[in-house]
Amino acid sequence: MKRLFQLCSLALLAACVAGCGKDPATNADTLAAPAEKPDFDTLMRTAVAGIAQKDADAATSAATKALELQPESAEAHLLAGQAACLRKDYDEARAQFSSVVKAKSLSDALRAKAYVGLGTVDFVQHDADAARFSFLQARRLDSRNEAAWYYLGMIYRDTCRFTEAALEQFQIFARLSRPDEPHAASVMRKVIPDLRAAIQRAAAEIPGVATRNPETAAKLLAEAQALEEKKRLPQAKKKYAAAFEADPLSYPVALGYARLLKRTETSAEGVDKALLAYRAVIDQRPAVQKNSLEAARLAYANRRWATAVRIMDRAVAHDPLNKESIDVLIGALMKAGNDKLAKAWGEYRKDLGR
């Protein structure tokens, strides 16, 4: 049964991405129910085959009969939800998946599959925010649920434009999937190389990169740090600015400059410069939560709520279990007037505990 539902998860992924409806290549002999009354396991296999081949009628019939035999079966409810997804009966699909999600006595792996089901319903209905929470819940419950990683990659790439976070999701999806699985092969051959190329292009387009001088930047950084230690902050600031101009891709230069500006600047122009330096820092290492928290708190303190939201939204894409980061994101969302999304993150945050 475990193998059956691994296939079932992959079948849902294939069906929802490719579209719904009966596959003209369906093998009717394979999906036809036996002449005698089929047992529960046979019905389940028939339903999985129907989902894999996008035959909504066969999948629905088999899943319905399976539920009649075992109405408490979470696995049968999952298949019924997937069959409903194929029929584009999204209300029914949501009801079936929700019944499994709410049954907290079930295994984490089963509930994770139901969360993926809920996420796919929202995903195909173009509600990326709602889908994201379901996939994050699935990932939280079962870090080996490959479909959750795949869909998060899609959302981060196509909706959020968080290229590095998308790359992380797709890389993990590829590691978890079988090499012969079509989506895994496509991700390895095209999606991951395309994302890496996009990251390289973005770095190459940063102003000043074409003429960067790392050696000069390193020398100016050392001078700036020495001046900072002596509390000669105006002079240190100028050295950091010169180092940042010499090499806009230097992580230590950008971080030192950002932190000094954060400490010393109160004007709008000064805050702009600090946030620009922090942007360079975060672009270099987007998964480092400490840097994003510093930048978001600076934006928050200066009533730049939307900027704080964007910074932390990107940060939690890399670490959705970081409670401190989520708390800052929720606070910024509330200040920005996005109560609906703040509430959704709040519900997710509750499940993480204290």
Side-chain angles (χ1 to χ4, degrees):
M1 187 65 74
K2 181 178 178 182
R3 172 63 173 164
L4 175 72
F5 277 93
Q6 181 184 10
L7 291 173
C8 184
S9 176
L10 293 170
L12 176 63
L13 177 63
C16 287
V17 171
C20 299
K22 187 170 181 177
D23 191 333
T26 297
N27 185 333
D29 294 334
T30 302
L31 299 179
E36 297 182 3
K37 258 191 175 180
D39 60 19
F40 179 77
D41 286 347
T42 300
L43 288 167
M44 296 290 277
R45 291 190 185 93
T46 303
V48 169
I51 291 164
Q53 298 184 34
K54 301 196 290 292
D55 188 326
D57 293 340
T60 299
S61 176
T64 300
K65 291 174 182 175
L67 276 174
E68 289 173 355
L69 290 178
Q70 294 190 26
E72 300 302 317
S73 168
E75 292 90 345
H77 281 287
L78 284 174
L79 285 173
Q82 293 176 16
C85 185
L86 281 175
R87 301 193 311 270
K88 298 186 180 181
D89 185 349
Y90 298 125
D91 289 341
E92 173 65 13
R94 192 184 302 279
Q96 294 289 352
F97 294 135
S98 295
S99 69
V100 178
V101 163
K102 292 173 183 175
K104 295 191 176 181
S105 60
L106 294 173
S107 70
D108 286 348
L110 270 176
R111 293 182 65 229
K113 287 181 173 66
Y115 268 119
V116 167
L118 286 175
T120 57
V121 169
D122 288 318
F123 186 84
V124 298
Q125 293 185 297
H126 309 292
D127 189 344
D129 286 332
R132 180 181 180 183
F133 288 112
S134 290
F135 296 132
L136 286 175
Q137 291 283 24
R139 184 183 138 179
R140 179 181 67 83
L141 290 170
D142 181 8
S143 62
R144 297 191 62 78
N145 186 304
E146 71 276 16
W149 292 97
Y150 178 89
Y151 278 112
L152 283 170
M154 295 275 283
I155 290 169
Y156 292 152
R157 183 191 66 182
D158 300 333
T159 303
C160 301
R161 309 295 182 186
F162 298 153
T163 310
E164 293 86 358
L167 178 60
E168 289 178 5
Q169 316 305 304
F170 283 122
Q171 286 174 325
I172 295 173
F173 165 75
R175 288 200 293 270
L176 292 174
S177 301
R178 301 191 321 274
D180 61 339
E181 203 279 317
H183 281 86
S186 174
V187 164
M188 288 294 293
R189 286 196 312 266
K190 179 165 177 57
V191 175
I192 289 176
D194 284 353
L195 286 169
R196 286 175 174 157
I199 291 169
Q200 291 174 350
R201 284 196 303 273
E205 291 170 0
I206 295 173
V209 166
T211 57
R212 62 188 293 240
N213 190 329
E215 294 79 12
T216 298
K219 178 177 178 293
L220 290 167
L221 173 62
E223 293 172 358
Q225 290 170 334
L227 289 166
E228 190 173 4
E229 287 179 7
K230 297 174 182 177
K231 310 296 183 184
R232 296 172 62 185
L233 302 186
Q235 295 90 334
K237 198 181 302 181
K238 290 180 181 179
K239 290 289 185 180
Y240 272 123
F244 189 51
E245 184 177 357
D247 186 4
L249 294 185
S250 171
Y251 177 81
V253 167
L255 185 59
Y257 188 35
R259 286 177 171 169
L260 182 56
L261 289 169
K262 181 174 181 287
R263 285 171 51 202
T264 60
E265 291 289 344
T266 56
S267 68
E269 183 182 359
V271 171
D272 286 341
K273 289 181 180 178
L275 290 172
L276 182 64
Y278 269 117
R279 174 63 185 269
V281 170
I282 294 167
D283 284 347
Q284 291 296 309
R285 300 183 188 177
V288 179
Q289 298 294 299
K290 183 178 181 181
N291 296 335
S292 294
L293 285 165
E294 288 178 13
R297 284 174 173 144
L298 174 62
Y300 191 99
N302 286 276
R303 305 176 67 85
R304 301 185 186 194
W305 320 123
T307 299
V309 166
R310 182 68 179 174
I311 291 168
M312 294 316 302
D313 196 22
R314 182 182 181 186
V316 299
H318 290 275
D319 187 359
L321 300 179
N322 190 304
K323 300 170 188 176
E324 184 180 9
S325 294
I326 293 171
D327 288 340
V328 173
L329 174 58
I330 292 170
L333 283 165
M334 292 175 67
K335 287 291 188 179
N338 195 335
D339 294 337
K340 180 180 178 181
L341 204 52
K343 182 179 179 182
W345 275 111
E347 292 299 318
Y348 173 77
R349 173 65 176 84
K350 286 179 187 176
D351 289 333
L352 299 183
R354 293 186 177 181

